[in-house]
Coordinates of all heavy atoms in Angstrom, one line a residue:
M49 N -16.9 37.7 -25.1 CA -17.7 37.3 -24.0 C -18.7 36.2 -24.5 O -19.3 36.4 -25.5 CB -18.5 38.4 -23.4 CG -17.9 39.2 -22.2 SD -17.8 38.2 -20.8 CE -16.7 39.2 -19.8
S50 N -18.9 35.2 -23.8 CA -19.9 34.2 -24.1 C -21.1 34.4 -23.4 O -21.2 35.1 -22.3 CB -19.3 32.8 -23.9 OG -18.9 32.6 -22.6
K51 N -22.2 33.8 -23.8 CA -23.5 34.0 -23.2 C -24.0 32.7 -22.6 O -23.5 31.6 -23.0 CB -24.5 34.4 -24.3 CG -24.1 35.7 -25.0 CD -24.7 36.9 -24.4 CE -24.4 38.2 -25.2 NZ -24.9 39.3 -24.5
Q52 N -24.9 32.8 -21.7 CA -25.5 31.6 -21.1 C -27.0 31.9 -20.8 O -27.4 33.1 -20.8 CB -24.8 31.2 -19.8 CG -25.0 32.2 -18.7 CD -24.2 31.9 -17.4 OE1 -23.6 30.8 -17.4 NE2 -24.3 32.7 -16.4
I53 N -27.8 30.9 -20.7 CA -29.2 31.1 -20.3 C -29.3 30.8 -18.8 O -28.9 29.8 -18.3 CB -30.0 30.0 -21.1 CG1 -29.8 30.1 -22.6 CG2 -31.5 30.2 -20.8 CD1 -30.1 31.4 -23.3
D54 N -29.9 31.8 -18.1 CA -30.0 31.7 -16.7 C -31.3 30.8 -16.4 O -32.0 30.4 -17.3 CB -30.0 33.0 -16.0 CG -31.3 33.9 -16.3 OD1 -32.3 33.3 -16.7 OD2 -31.2 35.1 -16.0
I55 N -31.5 30.6 -15.1 CA -32.6 29.7 -14.7 C -34.0 30.3 -15.1 O -35.0 29.6 -15.0 CB -32.5 29.4 -13.2 CG1 -32.7 30.6 -12.3 CG2 -31.3 28.6 -12.9 CD1 -32.8 30.3 -10.9
F56 N -34.0 31.6 -15.4 CA -35.3 32.2 -15.8 C -35.5 32.2 -17.3 O -36.5 32.8 -17.8 CB -35.4 33.6 -15.2 CG -35.3 33.6 -13.7 CD1 -34.1 34.1 -13.1 CD2 -36.2 33.1 -12.9 CE1 -33.9 34.1 -11.7 CE2 -36.1 33.0 -11.5 CZ -34.9 33.5 -10.9
G57 N -34.5 31.7 -18.0 CA -34.6 31.6 -19.5 C -34.0 32.9 -20.2 O -34.2 33.0 -21.4
N58 N -33.4 33.8 -19.4 CA -32.8 35.0 -20.0 C -31.4 34.7 -20.4 O -30.7 34.0 -19.7 CB -32.9 36.1 -18.9 CG -34.3 36.4 -18.5 OD1 -35.2 36.5 -19.3 ND2 -34.4 36.6 -17.2
E59 N -31.0 35.4 -21.4 CA -29.6 35.3 -21.9 C -28.7 36.3 -21.1 O -29.1 37.5 -21.1 CB -29.5 35.5 -23.4 CG -28.2 35.2 -24.0 CD -28.2 35.3 -25.5 OE1 -28.6 34.3 -26.2 OE2 -27.7 36.3 -26.0
T60 N -27.7 35.8 -20.5 CA -26.8 36.7 -19.7 C -25.4 36.4 -20.1 O -25.0 35.4 -20.7 CB -27.0 36.4 -18.2 OG1 -26.6 35.1 -17.9 CG2 -28.4 36.7 -17.7
E61 N -24.5 37.4 -19.8 CA -23.1 37.2 -20.0 C -22.5 36.2 -19.0 O -23.0 36.1 -17.8 CB -22.3 38.5 -19.7 CG -22.7 39.6 -20.7 CD -22.0 39.5 -22.0 OE1 -21.0 38.8 -22.1 OE2 -22.6 40.0 -23.0
V62 N -21.6 35.4 -19.4 CA -20.9 34.4 -18.5 C -19.9 35.2 -17.7 O -19.1 35.9 -18.3 CB -20.2 33.3 -19.3 CG1 -19.4 32.5 -18.4 CG2 -21.2 32.5 -20.1
T63 N -20.0 35.1 -16.4 CA -19.0 35.8 -15.6 C -18.1 34.8 -14.9 O -18.6 33.8 -14.4 CB -19.7 36.7 -14.5 OG1 -20.6 35.8 -13.8 CG2 -20.5 37.8 -15.1
N64 N -16.9 35.0 -15.0 CA -15.9 34.0 -14.4 C -15.7 34.3 -12.9 O -15.8 35.5 -12.5 CB -14.6 34.2 -15.1 CG -14.6 33.7 -16.6 OD1 -15.3 32.7 -16.9 ND2 -14.0 34.4 -17.5
P65 N -15.5 33.3 -12.1 CA -15.3 33.5 -10.7 C -13.9 34.2 -10.6 O -13.1 34.2 -11.4 CB -15.2 32.1 -10.2 CG -14.9 31.2 -11.3 CD -15.5 31.9 -12.5
P66 N -13.7 34.9 -9.4 CA -12.5 35.6 -9.2 C -11.3 34.5 -9.1 O -11.6 33.4 -8.8 CB -12.6 36.2 -7.8 CG -13.8 35.6 -7.2 CD -14.6 35.0 -8.3
P67 N -10.1 34.9 -9.5 CA -9.0 34.0 -9.5 C -8.8 33.4 -8.1 O -8.9 34.2 -7.2 CB -7.9 34.8 -10.1 CG -8.2 36.2 -10.0 CD -9.7 36.2 -10.0
S68 N -8.5 32.1 -8.0 CA -8.2 31.6 -6.7 C -6.7 31.6 -6.4 O -5.9 32.0 -7.2 CB -8.7 30.1 -6.7 OG -8.0 29.4 -7.6
G69 N -6.4 31.2 -5.2 CA -5.0 31.1 -4.9 C -4.6 32.2 -3.8 O -3.6 32.0 -3.2
G70 N -5.4 33.2 -3.6 CA -5.0 34.2 -2.6 C -5.4 33.7 -1.2 O -6.2 32.8 -1.0
R71 N -4.7 34.2 -0.2 CA -5.0 33.8 1.2 C -6.3 34.4 1.6 O -6.6 35.5 1.4 CB -3.9 34.2 2.1 CG -3.2 33.1 2.7 CD -2.3 33.5 3.9 NE -1.0 34.1 3.4 CZ -0.6 35.3 3.8 NH1 -1.3 36.0 4.7 NH2 0.5 35.8 3.4
R72 N -7.2 33.6 2.3 CA -8.5 34.0 2.6 C -8.5 34.9 3.9 O -9.3 35.7 4.1 CB -9.4 32.8 2.8 CG -9.8 32.2 1.5 CD -10.6 30.9 1.8 NE -11.8 31.2 2.5 CZ -12.6 30.3 3.0 NH1 -12.2 29.0 2.9 NH2 -13.7 30.6 3.6
Y73 N -7.6 34.5 4.8 CA -7.6 35.2 6.1 C -6.4 36.0 6.3 O -5.3 35.6 5.9 CB -7.7 34.1 7.2 CG -8.7 33.1 7.1 CD1 -8.4 31.8 6.9 CD2 -10.1 33.4 7.1 CE1 -9.3 30.8 6.7 CE2 -11.0 32.5 6.9 CZ -10.7 31.2 6.7 OH -11.6 30.2 6.6
K74 N -6.5 37.2 6.9 CA -5.4 38.0 7.3 C -4.8 37.4 8.5 O -5.5 37.0 9.4 CB -5.8 39.4 7.6 CG -6.0 40.3 6.4 CD -6.1 41.8 6.8 CE -6.4 42.6 5.6 NZ -5.2 43.3 5.1
R75 N -3.5 37.2 8.5 CA -2.8 36.6 9.6 C -2.7 37.5 10.8 O -2.9 38.7 10.6 CB -1.4 36.1 9.2 CG -1.5 35.0 8.0 CD -0.2 34.5 7.6 NE 0.5 33.7 8.7 CZ 0.2 32.5 9.0 NH1 -0.7 31.8 8.3 NH2 0.8 31.9 10.0
M76 N -2.4 37.0 11.9 CA -2.4 37.8 13.1 C -1.3 38.9 13.0 O -1.5 40.0 13.5 CB -2.0 36.9 14.4 CG -3.2 36.1 14.8 SD -4.5 37.0 15.5 CE -3.9 37.3 17.2
Q77 N -0.2 38.6 12.3 CA 0.9 39.5 12.2 C 0.4 40.7 11.3 O 0.9 41.8 11.4 CB 2.1 38.8 11.6 CG 2.8 37.9 12.5 CD 2.1 36.5 12.6 OE1 1.1 36.3 12.0 NE2 2.8 35.6 13.3
E78 N -0.4 40.4 10.3 CA -1.0 41.5 9.5 C -2.0 42.3 10.2 O -2.1 43.5 10.0 CB -1.6 40.9 8.2 CG -0.7 40.1 7.3 CD -1.4 39.4 6.2 OE1 -1.9 40.0 5.3 OE2 -1.6 38.2 6.4
L79 N -2.7 41.7 11.2 CA -3.7 42.5 11.9 C -3.1 43.3 13.0 O -3.6 44.4 13.3 CB -4.8 41.5 12.4 CG -5.6 40.7 11.4 CD1 -6.4 39.6 12.1 CD2 -6.6 41.7 10.7
Y80 N -2.2 42.7 13.7 CA -1.7 43.4 15.0 C -0.2 43.7 15.0 O 0.3 44.1 16.0 CB -2.0 42.4 16.2 CG -3.5 42.1 16.3 CD1 -4.0 40.9 15.9 CD2 -4.4 43.1 16.7 CE1 -5.3 40.6 16.0 CE2 -5.7 42.8 16.8 CZ -6.2 41.6 16.5 OH -7.5 41.3 16.6
G81 N 0.5 43.6 13.8 CA 1.9 43.9 13.8 C 2.7 42.7 14.4 O 2.1 41.6 14.7
I82 N 4.0 43.0 14.6 CA 4.8 41.9 15.1 C 5.5 42.3 16.5 O 5.5 43.4 16.8 CB 5.9 41.5 14.1 CG1 6.8 42.7 13.8 CG2 5.3 40.9 12.9 CD1 8.1 42.3 13.1
T83 N 5.9 41.2 17.2 CA 6.7 41.5 18.4 C 8.1 41.0 18.1 O 8.4 39.8 17.8 CB 6.2 40.6 19.6 OG1 4.8 41.1 19.8 CG2 7.0 40.8 20.8
E84 N 9.1 41.9 18.0 CA 10.4 41.6 17.6 C 11.1 40.6 18.5 O 10.9 40.7 19.8 CB 11.3 42.9 17.5 CG 10.9 43.8 16.4 CD 11.4 43.3 15.0 OE1 12.2 42.3 15.0 OE2 10.9 43.8 14.0
G85 N 11.8 39.7 18.0 CA 12.7 38.8 18.8 C 11.9 37.6 19.4 O 12.5 36.9 20.2
K86 N 10.6 37.5 19.1 CA 9.8 36.4 19.7 C 9.2 35.6 18.6 O 8.9 36.2 17.5 CB 8.7 37.0 20.6 CG 9.2 37.8 21.8 CD 9.9 36.9 22.8 CE 10.4 37.6 24.0 NZ 11.1 36.8 25.0
T87 N 8.8 34.4 18.9 CA 8.1 33.6 17.9 C 6.9 33.0 18.6 O 6.8 33.0 19.8 CB 9.0 32.4 17.4 OG1 9.3 31.6 18.5 CG2 10.2 32.9 16.7
C88 N 6.0 32.4 17.8 CA 4.8 31.8 18.4 C 5.1 30.7 19.3 O 4.3 30.4 20.2 CB 3.9 31.3 17.2 SG 3.1 32.7 16.2
K89 N 6.2 30.1 19.2 CA 6.6 28.9 20.0 C 6.5 29.2 21.5 O 6.2 28.3 22.3 CB 8.0 28.5 19.6 CG 8.5 27.3 20.3 CD 9.9 26.9 19.9 CE 10.3 25.6 20.5 NZ 11.6 25.2 20.1
T90 N 6.8 30.4 21.9 CA 6.8 30.7 23.4 C 5.6 31.6 23.8 O 5.6 32.1 24.9 CB 8.1 31.4 23.8 OG1 8.2 32.6 22.9 CG2 9.3 30.5 23.6
C91 N 4.6 31.6 23.0 CA 3.4 32.4 23.3 C 2.4 31.6 24.0 O 2.2 30.4 23.7 CB 2.8 33.0 22.0 SG 1.3 34.0 22.3
K92 N 1.7 32.2 25.0 CA 0.7 31.4 25.8 C -0.5 31.1 25.0 O -1.4 30.3 25.4 CB 0.4 32.1 27.1 CG -0.6 33.3 27.0 CD -0.9 33.8 28.4 CE -2.1 34.7 28.4 NZ -2.4 35.2 29.7
H93 N -0.7 31.8 23.8 CA -1.9 31.5 23.0 C -1.7 30.4 22.0 O -2.6 30.1 21.2 CB -2.3 32.8 22.3 CG -2.6 33.9 23.2 ND1 -3.6 33.9 24.1 CD2 -2.0 35.1 23.5 CE1 -3.6 35.0 24.9 NE2 -2.6 35.8 24.5
L94 N -0.5 29.8 22.0 CA -0.2 28.7 21.0 C -1.0 27.5 21.5 O -1.0 27.1 22.7 CB 1.3 28.4 21.0 CG 1.7 27.2 20.1 CD1 1.7 27.7 18.7 CD2 3.0 26.7 20.5
C95 N -1.7 26.9 20.6 CA -2.5 25.6 20.9 C -1.9 24.5 20.0 O -1.7 24.7 18.8 CB -3.9 25.8 20.5 SG -4.7 27.1 21.4
S96 N -1.6 23.4 20.6 CA -1.0 22.3 20.0 C -1.9 21.1 19.9 O -2.6 20.8 20.8 CB 0.3 21.9 20.7 OG 0.8 20.6 20.3
Y97 N -2.0 20.4 18.7 CA -2.9 19.3 18.5 C -2.1 18.2 17.9 O -1.2 18.4 17.1 CB -4.0 19.7 17.6 CG -4.9 20.8 18.0 CD1 -4.5 22.1 17.7 CD2 -5.9 20.7 18.9 CE1 -5.2 23.2 18.1 CE2 -6.7 21.7 19.3 CZ -6.3 23.0 18.9 OH -7.1 24.1 19.4
T98 N -2.4 16.9 18.3 CA -1.7 15.8 17.8 C -2.7 14.7 17.4 O -3.6 14.4 18.2 CB -0.7 15.2 18.8 OG1 0.1 16.3 19.2 CG2 0.1 14.1 18.2
Q99 N -2.6 14.2 16.2 CA -3.3 13.0 15.8 C -2.3 12.2 15.0 O -1.3 11.7 15.6 CB -4.5 13.3 14.9 CG -5.7 13.7 15.8 CD -7.0 13.9 15.1 OE1 -7.1 13.8 13.8 NE2 -8.1 14.0 15.8
S100 N -2.4 12.0 13.7 CA -1.4 11.3 13.0 C -0.2 12.3 12.7 O 0.9 11.8 12.4 CB -1.9 10.8 11.6 OG -2.4 11.9 10.9
R101 N -0.4 13.5 12.9 CA 0.7 14.5 12.8 C 0.4 15.6 13.9 O -0.6 15.5 14.6 CB 0.7 15.2 11.4 CG -0.5 16.1 11.2 CD -0.5 16.8 9.8 NE -1.6 17.7 9.7 CZ -1.6 19.0 9.9 NH1 -0.5 19.6 10.4 NH2 -2.7 19.7 9.8
R102 N 1.3 16.5 14.1 CA 1.2 17.6 15.1 C 1.0 18.9 14.3 O 1.6 19.1 13.3 CB 2.4 17.7 16.0 CG 2.3 18.8 17.0 CD 3.3 18.8 18.0 NE 3.0 17.6 18.9 CZ 3.6 17.3 20.0 NH1 4.6 18.0 20.4 NH2 3.3 16.2 20.7
W103 N 0.0 19.7 14.8 CA -0.2 21.0 14.2 C -0.5 22.0 15.2 O -0.8 21.6 16.4 CB -1.2 20.9 13.1 CG -2.6 20.7 13.6 CD1 -3.6 21.6 13.8 CD2 -3.3 19.4 13.9 NE1 -4.8 21.1 14.2 CE2 -4.6 19.7 14.3 CE3 -2.8 18.1 13.9 CZ2 -5.5 18.7 14.7 CZ3 -3.7 17.1 14.3 CH2 -5.0 17.4 14.7
Y104 N -0.4 23.3 14.8 CA -0.6 24.3 15.8 C -1.6 25.4 15.3 O -1.7 25.7 14.1 CB 0.8 25.0 16.0 CG 1.8 24.0 16.5 CD1 2.7 23.5 15.5 CD2 2.0 23.7 17.8 CE1 3.7 22.5 15.9 CE2 2.9 22.8 18.2 CZ 3.8 22.2 17.2 OH 4.7 21.3 17.6
K105 N -2.3 25.9 16.3 CA -3.3 27.0 16.0 C -3.0 28.1 17.0 O -2.4 27.9 18.0 CB -4.7 26.5 16.1 CG -5.1 25.3 15.3 CD -5.5 25.7 13.9 CE -5.9 24.4 13.1 NZ -6.2 24.7 11.7
C106 N -3.5 29.3 16.7 CA -3.5 30.4 17.6 C -4.8 30.5 18.3 O -5.8 30.5 17.6 CB -3.2 31.7 16.8 SG -3.3 33.1 17.9
G107 N -4.8 30.6 19.6 CA -6.0 30.7 20.4 C -6.8 32.0 20.2 O -7.9 32.1 20.5
L108 N -6.1 33.0 19.6 CA -6.8 34.3 19.4 C -7.2 34.5 17.9 O -7.7 35.5 17.6 CB -5.8 35.4 19.8 CG -5.4 35.4 21.2 CD1 -4.5 36.6 21.5 CD2 -6.5 35.4 22.2
W109 N -6.9 33.5 17.1 CA -7.1 33.6 15.7 C -8.2 32.6 15.3 O -8.7 31.8 16.1 CB -5.8 33.4 14.9 CG -5.8 33.9 13.5 CD1 -6.3 35.1 13.0 CD2 -5.3 33.2 12.4 NE1 -6.1 35.1 11.6 CE2 -5.5 34.0 11.2 CE3 -4.7 32.0 12.2 CZ2 -5.1 33.6 10.0 CZ3 -4.2 31.6 10.9 CH2 -4.5 32.4 9.8
I110 N -8.6 32.6 14.0 CA -9.5 31.7 13.5 C -9.0 30.2 13.6 O -7.9 29.9 13.3 CB -9.7 31.9 11.9 CG1 -10.1 33.4 11.7 CG2 -10.7 31.0 11.4 CD1 -9.7 33.9 10.4
R111 N -9.8 29.4 14.2 CA -9.4 28.0 14.4 C -10.4 27.1 13.7 O -11.5 26.8 14.2 CB -9.4 27.6 15.9 CG -8.1 28.1 16.5 CD -7.9 27.5 17.9 NE -8.8 28.2 18.8 CZ -9.0 27.8 20.1 NH1 -8.3 26.8 20.5 NH2 -9.8 28.5 20.8
S112 N -10.1 26.8 12.4 CA -10.9 25.8 11.7 C -10.2 24.5 11.5 O -9.0 24.4 11.9 CB -11.2 26.5 10.3 OG -10.0 26.4 9.5
A113 N -10.8 23.6 10.9 CA -10.2 22.3 10.6 C -9.2 22.4 9.4 O -8.5 21.5 9.2 CB -11.2 21.2 10.3
S114 N -9.2 23.5 8.8 CA -8.4 23.7 7.6 C -6.9 24.0 8.0 O -6.6 24.7 8.9 CB -8.9 24.9 6.8 OG -8.0 25.3 5.8
Q115 N -6.0 23.5 7.1 CA -4.6 23.9 7.3 C -4.3 25.3 7.0 O -3.3 25.9 7.4 CB -3.7 23.0 6.4 CG -3.7 21.6 6.8 CD -2.7 20.7 5.9 OE1 -2.1 21.3 5.0 NE2 -2.6 19.5 6.2
A116 N -5.3 26.0 6.4 CA -5.1 27.4 6.1 C -5.0 28.3 7.4 O -4.5 29.4 7.4 CB -6.3 27.9 5.2
T117 N -5.5 27.7 8.5 CA -5.5 28.4 9.8 C -4.4 27.9 10.7 O -4.4 28.2 11.9 CB -6.9 28.5 10.5 OG1 -7.3 27.1 10.7 CG2 -7.9 29.2 9.6
D118 N -3.6 27.0 10.2 CA -2.5 26.5 11.0 C -1.4 27.6 11.2 O -1.3 28.5 10.3 CB -1.8 25.3 10.4 CG -2.6 24.0 10.5 OD1 -3.7 24.1 11.0 OD2 -2.1 23.0 10.0
I119 N -0.7 27.6 12.3 CA 0.5 28.5 12.4 C 1.7 27.6 12.6 O 1.6 26.4 12.9 CB 0.3 29.5 13.6 CG1 0.2 28.8 14.9 CG2 -0.9 30.4 13.3 CD1 0.2 29.8 16.1
R120 N 2.9 28.2 12.5 CA 4.1 27.5 12.7 C 4.8 28.0 14.0 O 4.7 29.2 14.3 CB 5.0 27.7 11.5 CG 4.4 27.0 10.2 CD 5.3 27.3 9.0 NE 5.3 28.8 8.9 CZ 6.1 29.4 8.0 NH1 6.9 28.7 7.2 NH2 6.1 30.7 7.9
L121 N 5.6 27.2 14.6 CA 6.3 27.6 15.8 C 7.3 28.7 15.5 O 7.5 29.6 16.4 CB 7.0 26.4 16.4 CG 6.2 25.2 16.9 CD1 7.1 24.1 17.4 CD2 5.2 25.7 18.0
K122 N 7.8 28.7 14.3 CA 8.9 29.7 14.0 C 8.3 31.0 13.4 O 9.1 31.9 13.1 CB 9.9 29.0 13.0 CG 9.3 28.7 11.7 CD 10.3 28.1 10.8 CE 9.8 27.8 9.4 NZ 10.7 27.1 8.5
D123 N 7.0 31.1 13.4 CA 6.4 32.3 12.9 C 6.8 33.5 13.8 O 6.8 33.3 15.1 CB 4.9 32.2 12.9 CG 4.3 31.4 11.7 OD1 5.1 31.1 10.8 OD2 3.1 31.1 11.7
T124 N 7.1 34.6 13.3 CA 7.4 35.8 14.1 C 6.1 36.1 14.9 O 5.0 36.1 14.4 CB 7.7 37.0 13.2 OG1 8.9 36.6 12.4 CG2 8.1 38.2 14.0
A125 N 6.3 36.4 16.2 CA 5.2 36.7 17.1 C 4.4 37.9 16.6 O 5.0 38.9 16.1 CB 5.7 36.8 18.5
C126 N 3.1 37.9 16.8 CA 2.3 39.1 16.5 C 2.3 40.0 17.7 O 2.8 39.8 18.7 CB 0.9 38.6 16.1 SG -0.1 38.1 17.5
G127 N 1.5 41.1 17.5 CA 1.4 42.1 18.5 C 0.6 41.7 19.7 O 0.7 42.3 20.8
K128 N 0.0 40.6 19.7 CA -0.8 40.0 20.8 C 0.0 39.0 21.6 O -0.6 38.4 22.5 CB -2.1 39.4 20.3 CG -3.1 40.3 19.6 CD -3.8 41.1 20.7 CE -5.0 41.9 20.0 NZ -5.7 42.7 21.0
Y129 N 1.3 38.9 21.3 CA 2.1 37.9 22.0 C 2.1 38.2 23.5 O 2.2 39.3 23.9 CB 3.6 38.1 21.4 CG 4.6 37.2 22.2 CD1 4.8 35.9 21.8 CD2 5.3 37.7 23.2 CE1 5.7 35.1 22.4 CE2 6.2 37.0 23.9 CZ 6.4 35.7 23.5 OH 7.3 34.9 24.2
E130 N 2.0 37.0 24.2 CA 2.2 37.0 25.6 C 3.1 35.9 26.0 O 2.8 34.7 25.6 CB 0.8 36.9 26.4 CG 0.0 38.2 26.2 CD -1.3 38.1 27.0 OE1 -1.3 38.1 28.2 OE2 -2.4 37.9 26.4
E131 N 4.1 36.1 26.8 CA 5.0 35.1 27.2 C 4.3 34.0 27.9 O 3.5 34.3 28.8 CB 6.1 35.7 28.0 CG 7.3 34.7 28.3 CD 8.4 34.8 27.3 OE1 8.7 35.9 26.8 OE2 9.0 33.7 27.0
D132 N 4.6 32.7 27.5 CA 4.0 31.6 28.2 C 4.8 31.4 29.5 O 6.0 31.2 29.5 CB 4.0 30.3 27.4 CG 3.2 29.2 27.9 OD1 2.4 29.4 28.9 OD2 3.4 28.1 27.5
T133 N 4.2 31.3 30.7 CA 4.9 31.2 31.9 C 4.7 29.8 32.5 O 3.9 29.1 32.2 CB 4.5 32.2 33.0 OG1 3.0 32.2 33.1 CG2 4.9 33.6 32.5
Ligands
LIG1407 S1 2.3 35.3 18.9 FE1 0.3 36.0 18.1 S2 -0.2 34.6 16.4 FE2 1.5 33.6 17.6 S3 0.4 32.3 19.1 FE3 0.7 34.3 20.1 S4 -1.2 35.4 19.7 FE4 -1.1 33.8 18.2

């Protein structure tokens, strides 16, 4: 273990940040289970956006500007699936 001097002048152990790479958000399918035989493509909660590319978000899930909250049309529908009419 290496040591560092903190902002108060005390010597402390260097602590490493947790390893990165894990998914930050639990997906809807992990939270609510799945709806067999359906995909997000036909769900009324699917939101579509277009600029230089097209991307999709779930209206019931976290909607940030990050691609980490994008969903795919072919994703297996979650337990909150409702048929788009
Ligand atoms: S099936 Fe679930 S995850 Fe997919 S768009 Fe509908 S509510 Fe969102």
Side-chain angles (χ1 to χ4, degrees):
M49 266 294 166
S50 56
K51 302 269 185 184
Q52 65 183 0
I53 306 297
D54 68 18
I55 61 171
F56 304 108
N58 302 316
E59 191 173 279
T60 60
E61 296 283 334
V62 173
T63 54
N64 294 320
S68 61
R71 247 192 281 125
R72 287 175 60 193
Y73 310 116
K74 280 192 182 258
R75 299 184 64 80
M76 288 291 280
Q77 290 81 354
E78 294 171 79
L79 294 169
Y80 301 106
I82 61 168
T83 300
E84 288 289 346
K86 299 290 182 183
T87 62
C88 290
K89 184 178 183 178
T90 56
C91 179
K92 79 174 193 180
H93 301 296
L94 178 77
C95 302
S96 168
Y97 302 91
T98 307
Q99 280 186 351
S100 58
R101 68 177 184 96
R102 177 167 291 184
W103 69 97
Y104 304 96
K105 304 275 182 187
C106 172
L108 300 181
W109 196 44
I110 304 153
R111 280 190 286 174
S112 72
S114 168
Q115 288 184 3
T117 59
D118 286 2
I119 63 170
R120 295 173 301 171
L121 296 179
K122 66 182 180 183
D123 285 347
T124 303
C126 75
K128 295 283 188 179
Y129 174 86
E130 290 183 70
E131 188 90 36
D132 190 16
T133 53

